[in-house]
Amino acid sequence: MRKLVVKTTDYLEGNISVSGAKNAALPIITAALLGEGSSKLSGIPDLKDVNNLVSILSNLGAEINFTDSELELNTDEINKYSTESDLARKMRASYYTLGALLGRYGQACTVLPGGCEIGNRPIDLHLKGFSALGAEVKLDHGVVKLEADRLKGANIYLDYPSVGATINIMLAAVMADGETVIENAAREPEIIDLANYLNIMGAEITGAGTDIIKITGVNKLIGKDYTIIPDRIEAGTYMMAVAAVGGDVVIENVLVEHVRPLIAKLKEMGVEIIEDINQVRVKSNQGLKGTDIKTMPYPGFPTDMQAQFMTLLTQASSENLVIETVFERRFGHVDELRRMGAKIKVDGRSAVVAQANLEGAQVEATDLRAGAALIIAGLAAKGQTEIQNIYHIERGYEDITDKLKGIGANIELVVE
Ligand code: UD1
């Protein structure tokens, strides 16, 4: 069994570097299936989710070499179009194979995905998109099957700016006949990154990063080299840790415009932020002022930072409101934080967080970001915290224990 043991830390200091973005790596690695020949992708984080995706794509016949943040993927020998496996079931992003395989080979099949336990997370918008492009969509006992002789560009309006649906439709539409327009598209930086990579391979995509994305279908894409963006959520997690514990830390490899909503909130709370090219210096000596947050699609406050921010609010003055609008069940961390003495009242999708002196306890990471929130809580708490179920954390944070130790955090990985 693996667990994290976290002890009181008074001050964080030094430099910490952010890895490539998980949520860009997963769609971009899958998008490499669309290109003829080989793509070499750089800045790929060594994470459980990435390694699982590598296994899933290798099973299709893709030849993949992944070492030292570089992933080379060759598509010459792909001979299967189904990713029906336990591995795919466990990993939500495996559904990107639907868009990519449908786009290139006209057929795709996978199991309905799992992933973090943070709500229902249906894929109806993805399926509506595939169907609008002319694919036949069959759902049978949790298995999704797609088939199309020839995909045709279409106008697709998303009822909600879903990140996953926008990506899947882009993957399917890049080689469809004619023009596809996605309206009310998600605007996350990871979408822009995917569009940039697809365009380098020969796609014709405009408008990524706005709510209208236009895709003119092309006949083929050719594998290319590409470096992915840094992980804004990893950067944000370290920013919250410094703010909660106190310290003076330079966070390197950050695209500052991607963490604007976080910078704004930290400044409101009295944390000093010094921006530089590709880095952010965070200085905090506690005495934090309270503030409220409401999660929203990008460029709003990210739902993937809500749990870590809630931990931070336990260290801030007054009572503060957290509203989660993106996922309907994303307060799994609340019970765990309460075990540590947090004073949080939940009503539906809202939580009121009061200032509290946290104390070490035995807790469980209920999902990826909840796990990160508990690490921050453990550093700020008095005594020792033991975090179980850390596989959730390892799905999304590369080397988090060593990176945090590097800035003075009292944290150990214990394998029993
Ligand atoms: C992605 C991110 C995740 C992040 C989320 C929101 C990846 C691998 N994951 O998840 O870390 O928390 O964006 O920023 O990039 N919805 C539907 N029908 C659909 C699709 C989504 O109702 O077909 C709903 C979801 O249930 C949820 C909301 O839309 O309530 C947002 O989901 P979505 O933007 O699709 O998130 P993911 O792509 O799953």
Side-chain angles (χ1 to χ4, degrees):
M1 205 185 50
R2 297 154 72 78
K3 64 181 179 189
L4 286 175
V5 175
V6 188
K7 292 185 191 153
T8 319
T9 301
D10 295 326
Y11 201 75
L12 295 170
E13 199 169 17
N15 291 36
I16 190 166
S17 184
V18 173
S19 301
K22 168 177 90 73
N23 288 352
L26 299 173
I28 287 176
I29 294 169
T30 314
L33 296 180
L34 288 162
E36 291 180 8
S38 291
S39 282
K40 191 162 80 187
L41 305 172
S42 303
I44 302 295
D46 190 2
L47 299 170
K48 268 219 170 92
D49 268 8
V50 169
N51 286 299
N52 286 346
L53 182 64
V54 166
S55 302
I56 290 169
L57 302 188
S58 300
N59 283 338
L60 299 174
E63 199 187 309
I64 305 180
N65 217 317
F66 179 31
T67 40
D68 294 337
S69 315
E70 282 202 351
L71 187 148
E72 210 163 336
L73 187 149
N74 180 286
T75 61
D76 292 348
E77 305 290 330
I78 289 180
N79 54 10
K80 270 172 68 186
Y81 313 105
S82 166
T83 57
E84 217 184 311
S85 69
D86 272 354
L87 211 51
R89 191 173 293 111
K90 279 191 207 130
M91 199 193 145
R92 190 168 170 76
S94 59
Y95 61 27
Y96 292 143
T97 57
L98 286 175
L101 291 172
L102 178 69
R104 180 150 182 206
Y105 304 102
Q107 51 179 307
C109 173
T110 194
V111 278
L112 281 174
C116 275
E117 284 295 321
I118 54 176
N120 284 330
R121 303 185 85 171
I123 63 161
D124 55 315
L125 299 173
H126 305 230
L127 301 183
K128 270 196 217 167
F130 296 141
S131 163
L133 293 169
E136 190 188 345
V137 179
K138 283 191 203 146
L139 267 175
D140 185 19
H141 293 91
V143 175
V144 188
K145 274 195 181 138
L146 307 176
E147 258 179 47
D149 282 339
R150 193 85 201 115
L151 293 173
K152 281 207 176 69
N155 265 41
I156 300 168
Y157 178 86
L158 294 178
D159 299 336
Y160 185 89
S162 153
V163 174
T166 304
I167 288 174
N168 243 336
I169 295 167
M170 285 166 73
L171 294 172
V174 274
M175 286 198 273
D177 283 339
E179 190 179 75
T180 297
V181 179
I182 310 174
E183 286 182 75
N184 199 25
R187 293 185 282 163
E188 270 67 3
E190 293 75 18
I191 308 258
I192 305 178
D193 212 29
L194 171 67
N196 287 342
Y197 169 57
L198 289 169
N199 282 342
I200 285 178
M201 288 207 289
E204 287 182 26
I205 303 172
T206 56
T210 75
D211 58 0
I212 299 184
I213 299 179
K214 287 192 180 146
I215 304 164
T216 306
V218 296
N219 286 333
K220 66 173 179 180
L221 299 180
I222 310 272
K224 289 279 178 237
D225 297 354
Y226 190 71
T227 301
I228 67 160
I229 52 170
D231 197 309
R232 64 196 163 97
I233 305 300
E234 188 194 354
T237 301
Y238 301 144
M239 290 164 74
M240 298 304 142
V242 181
V245 170
D248 182 355
V249 172
V250 175
I251 303 167
E252 297 168 348
N253 196 27
V254 180
L255 290 176
V256 180
E257 69 267 26
H258 293 171
V259 290
R260 284 266 170 253
L262 308 178
I263 290 178
K265 281 291 155 188
L266 289 176
K267 281 187 172 167
E268 256 182 65
M269 296 177 80
V271 177
E272 195 182 339
I273 306 277
I274 303 151
E275 298 172 18
D276 207 335
I277 302 165
N278 290 350
Q279 65 182 41
V280 174
R281 180 171 172 191
V282 183
K283 284 169 88 174
S284 169
N285 50 15
Q286 296 179 299
L288 298 168
K289 283 184 245 148
T291 184
D292 300 331
I293 58 158
K294 184 174 181 179
T295 66
M296 306 274 269
Y298 191 85
F301 191 95
T303 173
D304 284 352
M305 285 302 305
Q306 179 255 106
Q308 303 90 311
F309 201 81
M310 195 181 280
T311 299
L312 179 61
L313 288 180
T314 66
Q315 306 301 298
S317 63
S318 71
E319 292 201 327
N320 302 295
L321 183 63
V322 173
I323 304 176
E324 172 59 55
T325 75
V326 179
F327 290 106
E328 72 273 24
R329 255 198 335 266
R330 201 167 197 180
F331 284 142
H333 43 285
V334 169
D335 277 344
E336 304 304 309
L337 289 173
R338 281 181 183 143
R339 279 183 224 282
M340 300 179 69
K343 294 179 197 149
I344 304 169
K345 285 183 217 148
V346 173
D347 181 10
R349 289 178 171 215
S350 304
V352 175
V353 186
Q355 191 165 29
N357 292 321
L358 299 181
E359 303 229 334
Q362 300 231 357
V363 290
E364 262 178 47
T366 50
D367 66 63
L368 166 56
R369 307 305 170 186
L374 292 174
I375 293 179
I376 300 172
L379 296 173
K382 219 165 87 188
Q384 174 168 313
T385 298
E386 285 186 26
I387 308 175
Q388 312 274 358
N389 281 355
I390 59 164
Y391 63 89
H392 281 299
I393 301 172
E394 292 170 340
R395 280 186 41 228
Y397 288 93
E398 187 178 49
D399 274 342
I400 189 163
T401 312
D402 285 341
K403 284 190 187 183
L404 285 173
K405 271 170 134 174
I407 52 169
N410 222 323
I411 179 169
E412 289 295 338
L413 170 68
V414 177
V415 182
E416 286 170 341

